[in-house]
Amino acid sequence: MKRGFPLAGLLRIRGIQQRAAAAHLSRAAMEEQRTEARDRQLRAALTTSADTPGDIRTLAALAASRVAARSLLTDLDTLRRAQRAEADAARARLDDARRAERGIERLAEAFHERERARRDAAEQAVLDEIALRSAADGSGAPGGHGEAP
């Protein structure tokens, strides 16, 4: 009779946890990349300047927009740091999930190896019993092996 791995359910759960952690890491990395792209776009917009302003109102509006953009850059930098921390935490959770799943996989491999060895030993015992019976039947019967007529 073939026995199943007693922790098979736990192994499935660990696999689900690992896939969920990988998905979370993927989302966190995408959000971080999006924020970095917004940051690059804003910095590029700040470095390119239009024609020299002609009047004081245009100059004031340009200065105000630059102040707002710098504030936005500060906010984006804060957001990027938070997203980087989230991605690092997600990476750590994925590593932990992989480690936990791998531990259960090793237990499963060891279990299956023990089961295979147990089946092989049982099969060998049956073969040995058959060989012993054949040898006993062949040597003790008249006209069997080892007797001369």
Side-chain angles (χ1 to χ4, degrees):
M1 177 169 84
K2 184 175 180 180
R3 290 181 16 200
F5 179 55
L7 299 176
L10 180 60
L11 181 58
R12 282 190 296 276
I13 289 171
R14 294 291 190 233
I16 291 167
Q17 288 172 334
Q18 181 192 358
R19 288 187 295 280
H24 184 77
L25 175 58
S26 177
R27 281 190 306 273
M30 286 178 12
E31 288 174 7
E32 186 179 8
Q33 289 171 353
R34 247 185 256 128
T35 301
E36 287 175 1
R38 285 175 34 203
D39 184 75
R40 282 191 304 273
Q41 288 172 339
L42 184 57
R43 287 182 189 279
L46 282 174
T47 58
T48 60
S49 64
D51 297 330
T52 307
D55 64 354
I56 191 77
R57 286 186 184 142
T58 307
L59 185 60
L62 184 61
S65 70
R66 288 198 175 256
V67 166
R70 290 197 192 285
S71 174
L72 183 57
L73 275 174
T74 302
D75 292 346
L76 282 175
D77 188 49
T78 302
L79 178 61
R80 189 175 56 241
R81 277 187 295 217
Q83 288 173 333
R84 186 168 295 133
E86 176 64 25
D88 290 343
R91 196 169 290 110
R93 282 192 299 273
L94 177 60
D95 290 343
D96 290 345
R98 281 182 177 157
R99 233 183 331 275
E101 183 181 27
R102 185 61 193 139
I104 301 296
E105 285 174 346
R106 282 191 210 126
L107 287 173
E109 290 168 4
F111 171 81
H112 292 303
E113 184 59 36
R114 282 191 310 273
E115 284 297 302
R116 200 171 13 261
R118 186 188 60 76
R119 280 193 313 270
D120 290 349
E123 184 178 325
Q124 187 61 48
V126 168
L127 291 174
D128 289 347
E129 180 68 26
I130 291 170
L132 285 174
R133 284 186 186 165
S134 294
D137 290 343
S139 65
H145 302 294
E147 283 189 20

